Structures are given as structure tokens and as C-alpha cells.
Amino acid sequence: MSSATIEAPVRTSTSPMLQLTNLSVSYDGKPAVQNVTFSISSGERYAIIGESGSGKTTVCMAISGFLPRNATISSEERSFQGVPIGATKQKTLIAPRVPGVVTIFQDAMSSLDPVSTIGKQFTAVLNGVRKTSAKEAIERSEGILRSVGLHDVDRIWKSSAARLSGGMRQRVMIALALAAEPQLVIADEPTSALDASLARETMEVLSELTATTGAALLIVSHDIALCARYVDHLVVMRNGRVVESMTPQELAAQAPGSSYGRGLLDSIPTLSNWDVERLRTIDANQEFTA
Ligand SMILES: Nc1ncnc2c1ncn2[C@@H]1O[C@H](COP(=O)(O)OP(=O)(O)O)[C@@H](O)[C@H]1O
Ligand SMILES: [Mg+2]
């Protein structure tokens, strides 16, 4: 792929930025995701919620073009900025990434290059967007690092990922993602390795930054309560399918136990239910009509 081109989006004002219609993915012939349909418009914040194994990561990889080789994908429509995703015959292990889409993975340590300095990684990302001088790279990354709440910029620039704390690494990952000037940020379980206050902070940083840059956000999480505070829309997945789709306000208005999503919310310990004898649980086979 040419390094200097993130092409101007081909868009019409009426079409959503991301459109998935009846997306299905199988691994070695075994269905992992079935008939998933949703769309995200510019600037919107979405969350995919669901238990482990429900297909969340698979949906993200289908959007970002990172599905592994044993995956078979089909859909009625799968497009970003009006351009079909994955319209390539190239059979590489990692498909070419979709211009304008960046993915932040759960484990910042394994996603960041452990050996090279953060500065070198910034320079590489910035040069991937457009040719950037060394001086410009330092200035730009300094601004981005500050925007994610990192102030010890000189030290970070010269450090390798291994020398940063977990919270700092997560912020550096977000900063690197933003340096790519994305139109859609996908964050797959960005907070599950963090303690509760860092998790909240990370969600705040992501949500604020997407608001200021106008990028859309797709967060993947099993923590419906956390997501409900920071996104505009929740898509709930179960066993590879979207079972519910609603706003956080609609979720809050549901009666306890009335839907699967509400069940996920009520099975999380909170300050208001910490003293109940047993948290609500969800039966694996329980059907919900909602
Ligand atoms: N690379 C893979 N090869 C085979 N099966 C996979 C692979 N990745 C995920 N799966 C299976 O696909 C299903 C959905 O997984 P995943 O998308 O990772 O769910 P989640 O992110 O919600 O935990 C699971 O049954 C999982 O075991
Ligand atoms: Mg996952």
C-alpha cells in the first residue's frame, strides 16, 4: 500500500460511515457471527456488548480487515465511507487495513512494538498518513500525547513500551491510533486489563477525543454499565447474533430481567446492589422476547 495516501472519503451525506448488512463469519466452516446488521454515522459512539465468545472481536476484525485466514466472510453490504471493505483478492494473513479505520486492542503491551521507542512508532504512524519531518513528528506527537493526558512527553518519546506503566501504555496506544487521523476508532476491550478508575479514564479519553476530532467510535466490551455512560448506542450480541440494539436511555428504562441486555446490566455488582444476597444471573438458554 502506498504510504502517502489516506484517500479522501467517497461519501454521500445520506449514507452512514460504516454499513454492515447481514454480516456472517465462520471459522473453518463453523459459524461465529450470523446476520449482523448495524450502521454507524460520522461522530457516533457505538458499543458492542456481549459475553466472551459472542462474536464481538470477529465483527471488529471484519470491519478493520484483520480476519485470520481460516475465516470465511459473507455479507449483503460491508462498506466504509461508501467503499466496500475487503474488496481484495490478496490472500495475506493480515488483510490490508481499511484506510481511515484504526483498532486499539485490549493488550497495549502486545500491540506496541516492545523494542523501538514510542518516538519511532509515532514517526512511523505519522509518516504513514503523510510525509512528516523529524521536527514536525516531535511537535505533532507532543500535542497528541498531551491531549490524552500524558505530560512527561520527552521521557515517553524516548522510552520503549516496556518501560511505561499499564495506564500510560494504554494512553500511548490511543495517542498512536489518533495520530493516524482515523475516521473510525475501534477499541476492542480497551479497559478490561485496567482497574475501575483507569477504565473510566480510558473511556473518558476515548469519548472526548472522538468528540473533538469528529471520529466515530466503536467500543467492544463485556461491561455494559461502563459503556452505557459513554456511548450513544448499544448493540448487544449473544451467540454470534445481534439480539438487541438500543440507546443507554432505553436500556435504563427497561424493567430488570426483561431483556438480555438488561440482564447483563443487572448481573454486574454496583454500589446500589452490593448488599443483595445474590446478583441476578442469566440462564444460558433463557429466551427474551424483547
Ligand atoms: N481464529 C479463530 N479460529 C477459530 N475460531 C475462532 C477464532 N477466533 C474466534 N473464534 C471463535 O469464534 C467465536 C467468536 O469469538 P470472538 O469473536 O473472539 O468473540 P468475543 O470477542 O465476543 O469473545 C468463538 O466461538 C471463538 O471460539
Ligand atoms: Mg473478543
Side-chain angles (χ1 to χ4, degrees):
M1 191 178 74
S2 151
S3 62
T5 50
I6 285 202
E7 283 169 16
V10 182
R11 291 178 66 194
T12 61
S13 56
T14 49
S15 65
M17 172 185 266
L18 173 78
Q19 179 67 52
L20 293 180
T21 311
N22 285 328
L23 169 76
S24 297
V25 181
S26 305
Y27 292 108
D28 304 312
K30 197 167 165 275
V33 160
Q34 290 180 71
N35 295 322
V36 164
T37 297
F38 66 90
S39 61
I40 303 181
S41 295
S42 182
E44 276 188 319
R45 298 167 306 169
Y46 262 64
I48 304 180
I49 308 291
E51 292 167 88
S52 179
S54 57
K56 307 180 296 296
T57 296
T58 301
V59 171
C60 290
M61 292 193 301
I63 300 168
S64 58
F66 284 119
L67 276 172
R69 217 183 236 173
N70 63 337
T72 322
I73 184 164
S74 72
S75 62
E76 224 167 274
E77 183 173 354
R78 191 163 89 256
S79 64
F80 183 69
Q81 305 285 32
V83 178
I85 296 171
T88 172
K89 292 201 168 74
Q90 202 179 332
K91 285 209 164 62
T92 50
L93 186 62
I94 296 177
R97 71 180 189 102
V98 178
V101 178
V102 296
T103 309
I104 298 168
F105 294 99
Q106 170 180 354
D107 180 2
M109 193 57 222
S110 66
S111 308
L112 290 170
D113 180 339
V115 188
S116 81
T117 62
I118 301 300
K120 277 192 190 146
Q121 295 180 61
F122 261 104
T123 307
V125 171
L126 291 169
N127 274 299
V129 180
R130 71 183 72 84
K131 197 153 172 40
T132 311
S133 72
K135 181 165 172 282
E136 236 182 307
I138 293 175
E139 282 168 9
R140 286 239 33 224
S141 43
E142 205 178 291
I144 300 169
L145 284 166
R146 286 190 201 284
S147 74
V148 299
L150 292 170
H151 299 288
D152 196 359
V153 174
D154 272 351
R155 185 177 79 82
I156 292 167
W157 176 266
K158 291 183 190 124
S159 300
S160 64
R163 298 190 48 202
L164 303 176
S165 72
M168 281 177 128
R169 280 202 290 265
Q170 198 67 13
R171 282 168 187 258
V172 168
M173 272 279 290
I174 295 172
L176 273 168
L178 294 167
E181 298 181 12
Q183 287 131 24
L184 172 65
V185 177
I186 300 177
D188 190 355
E189 308 265 9
T191 63
S192 53
L194 307 176
D195 66 38
S197 80
L198 262 179
R200 268 198 309 277
E201 263 181 50
T202 302
M203 290 295 286
E204 259 157 39
V205 168
L206 277 172
S207 157
E208 274 170 26
L209 286 172
T210 46
T212 51
T213 61
L217 179 64
L218 177 60
I219 296 264
V220 164
S221 177
H222 54 266
D223 190 340
I224 193 167
L226 180 67
C227 284
R229 294 172 55 174
Y230 296 100
V231 300
D232 310 306
H233 206 91
L234 299 156
V235 172
V236 182
M237 287 191 68
R238 189 184 197 191
N239 300 330
R241 293 176 185 275
V242 172
V243 290
E244 283 150 32
S245 176
M246 68 230 152
T247 64
Q249 294 73 20
E250 286 164 347
L251 173 73
Q254 289 175 351
S258 64
S259 75
Y260 179 64
R262 183 66 209 210
L264 289 177
L265 184 68
D266 296 327
S267 60
I268 297 168
T270 65
L271 282 178
S272 59
N273 70 10
W274 64 275
D275 59 345
V276 296
E277 244 164 57
R278 280 194 62 189
L279 286 168
R280 282 173 180 274
T281 53
I282 303 173
D283 184 326
N285 301 313
Q286 187 176 346
E287 302 284 346
F288 294 91
T289 47

